[in-house]
Amino acid sequence: MDDIAANGANSAGSPRYVLVSDDDATDVWGTCLEIKNLFAAFDDPDAEDEWRTLELLGWSPDGSLRKYRDTAGDGPRPFGNAWIHVLDYEGQRIGSFWSPSMEVLEWRPSRENPTLLDATVEVVFLSSPYPAAESMWERWRSGRPASKNVWAEYRPEDRRAWSSVVVGYHFSIVEPGLSDDPPGRTYHLDGSNVVDKMSFFCAMGEAINGPGGYFGWDLNGLADCCKGRFGATPPSP
């Protein structure tokens, strides 16, 4: 999925998202400049899943979805499982959201660019993207933090949203090329901003994997990381 939309680097007009089939990773359904309502909170916080109406703005349809539209015309249609990938300024995937169902309700010429489309779609989310993460993803589009403790700028209740961005970035960008440090390395955790569980996990990730680093975001994740392949050679830390 690298370099899916490598045009307009560092440009406000570069695509922010790309839609991809869950059944075939080579079936790219197109990039879009913006997705409205992606980061809205669940109407029912206790619900296991939720239908959500999204507005895809500045969408350039491609793959089987474009072929389907060209042959079937306008009108509602289900289109199966979908990945919504967050893109950086270079068009590289830095995070993802998965939906087990997506249905296109309407598409129309884009207000911003007549060569593109705006579309209304309904998707199912099994877990809601954190509302506070929207501005964080925008920040990470230009790269991971250059210094530690950037997460401390956010309210304690928003630090899980920060961790969700760290997780997405780690498994999209860092993990594929990550190797464990040599055995016996000593790590130094900066505890100056640690006031609760989430701030501890933020500091732990940065102690081992540098600014914006990941080393678990709950106890189960931490236990998995301590087994190796997450930067520190077991037994660790």
Side-chain angles (χ1 to χ4, degrees), residues 182-223:
R185 177 170 177 176
T186 299
Y187 299 96
H188 299 277
L189 187 149
D190 180 359
S192 59
N193 294 295
V194 174
V195 295
D196 53 20
K197 289 182 180 179
M198 285 313 305
S199 55
F200 167 77
F201 290 118
C202 290
M204 174 66 81
E206 294 193 327
I208 294 175
N209 288 310
Y214 171 75
F215 203 78
W217 69 336
D218 56 23
L219 291 177
N220 289 332
L222 178 61

Side-chain angles (χ1 to χ4, degrees), residues 97-114:
F97 304 106
W98 180 74
S99 171
S101 180
M102 187 185 90
E103 181 174 349
V104 180
L105 302 182
E106 177 193 11
W107 28 36
R108 55 201 177 275
S110 174
R111 293 181 179 179
E112 300 297 327
N113 186 334

